[in-house]
Amino acid sequence: MKFNTKTIHGGQENTDPAYGSVMPPIYQTSTYKQDTPGGHKGFEYSRSGNPTRAALERSLASLENGNFGLAFSSGLAAIDAVLKLFGPGDEIISTNDLYGGSYRLFTGIFEKLGIKFRFVSMQNTGDIEQYINKNTRMIWVETPTNPMMNIIDIEAMAGIANKHGLLLAVDNTFATPYLQQPLDLGADIVMHSATKYLGGHSDVIMGSLVVKDQKLAEKLYFIQNASGAVCGPQDSFLVLRGIKTLHLRMQRHCENGEAVARFLKGHPKVENVYWPGFQDHPNHEIAKKQMSGFGGMVSFTTAEGTMESAVKFVEKLKVFTLAESLGGVESLAGHPATMTHASIPKKEREKTGVVDSMIRLSVGIEDEEDLINDLKQALE
Ligand SMILES: *Cc1c(COP(=O)(O)O)cnc(C)c1O
């Protein structure tokens, strides 16, 4: 099956043996009748498994070319489950340019439990090996990064992880499986905030993991069930519905993202534009190698270079909505320094380039001309 067919049919055969409904029913139930103790039809309790969630989990596995999918109550709950594979004394190497909530989870919760994190730049893959020692267990990669739009070479990182017997996990939220399939490039775990492009309509909070290896899947399933951060059947249904148009939405997100990036690059009130599709983007060649398009996320800094100029700009927008999050059909604008990245200390933040004058755009699927005109009036 090709990707554009998988979004609609992947893992969706026979989802309703009772009536043959084309969409899986929303099994809004916590428990299931047993004929004799242990005599159930595959489901006993909805934390452990629910048919609607199971349909979504099969779809997720199919999209990422994995064998096992797991859906969680949020993206951070999915990351939390990955980190529970480890214990005190274990070390994890993470990209230093990552989602603020992931940084907060790593340092605010798991560091206290005895896991050590090394936040390093992954622009130069060769630099990573110096941080690996006998306690290192995993490399955590987010690419494209948020909001700097840096690209990390997944295949090269997989080579290093493999050589040292480490797990490689990739947060694939920004790219989606439409643009990038980390398991095919050698990653062991692919993670999503399904809240973003997979759900696609800004109406659900959800997370997911997909793996190929059965033993790893069993460990993660144990954590999912033992910790219990599962998503409900209604939300599972909504994300499954969202996924059915993922390929169409992503195509338009990419087209509009490119138009917006090119418009901003030529504007005198704009200083830098961060979008991996530009030939002079430092990681353009890697992006071209591992992604089939450049996505709908664009960041830029104002020429004025001040916090005030960025705040004034986002307040003036009319079609773009000033809001956290990304990946929905509607265009959103955010100010990372005071919004998504406020939980990262200013010093750490500015080291990676997230300055006060930076604005991050999640370019939606509205009419291109309306989006450009909105940016134009807000800049002027
Ligand atoms: C939003 C996001 C997360 C966290 O997901 P939630 O669904 O908000 O818990 C993790 N990584 C990235 C890249 C994100 O954008």
Side-chain angles (χ1 to χ4, degrees), residues 74-76 99 142 171 173-174 191 193 195-196 205-206 326:
S74 71
L76 284 173
Y99 178 69
E142 188 181 315
D171 182 337
T173 301
F174 269 38
M191 174 263 154
S193 169
T195 310
K196 316 295 166 55
I205 299 285
M206 193 186 286
L326 61 110

Side-chain angles (χ1 to χ4, degrees), residues 260-373:
V260 163
R262 294 198 187 285
F263 162 76
L264 289 171
K265 193 157 186 161
H267 200 285
K269 296 253 167 96
V270 172
E271 189 194 16
N272 295 314
V273 184
Y274 302 91
W275 179 67
F278 288 131
Q279 281 198 349
D280 61 358
H281 182 287
N283 317 122
H284 179 65
E285 288 308 315
I286 305 168
K288 256 190 0 198
K289 185 181 74 164
Q290 72 186 18
M291 300 171 75
S292 58
F294 304 110
M297 297 301 297
V298 181
S299 300
F300 70 99
T301 53
T302 62
E304 231 172 277
T306 59
M307 164 93 81
E308 294 68 43
S309 60
V311 170
K312 221 162 69 189
F313 170 82
V314 293
E315 285 174 354
K316 289 237 164 79
L317 291 166
K318 293 192 178 93
V319 181
F320 280 80
T321 304
L322 175 61
E324 305 246 0
S325 199
L326 61 110
V329 290
E330 62 286 294
S331 292
L332 301 180
H335 183 237
T338 55
M339 295 168 69
T340 46
H341 288 60
S343 58
I344 302 180
K346 184 175 162 90
K347 247 188 163 168
E348 283 296 311
R349 194 163 34 79
E350 297 205 329
K351 255 194 252 169
T352 60
V354 186
V355 294
D356 288 346
S357 64
M358 171 165 281
I359 291 147
R360 189 192 76 180
L361 301 176
S362 169
V363 182
I365 62 172
E366 300 96 333
D367 188 90
E368 181 186 308
E369 209 176 305
D370 288 334
L371 297 179
I372 303 277
N373 284 339

Side-chain angles (χ1 to χ4, degrees), residues 209-224:
L209 301 175
V210 179
V211 302
K212 279 191 168 161
D213 181 69
Q214 179 160 1
K215 281 222 173 76
L216 182 56
E218 282 167 4
K219 284 186 199 166
L220 290 167
Y221 173 71
F222 175 84
I223 295 166
Q224 184 195 38

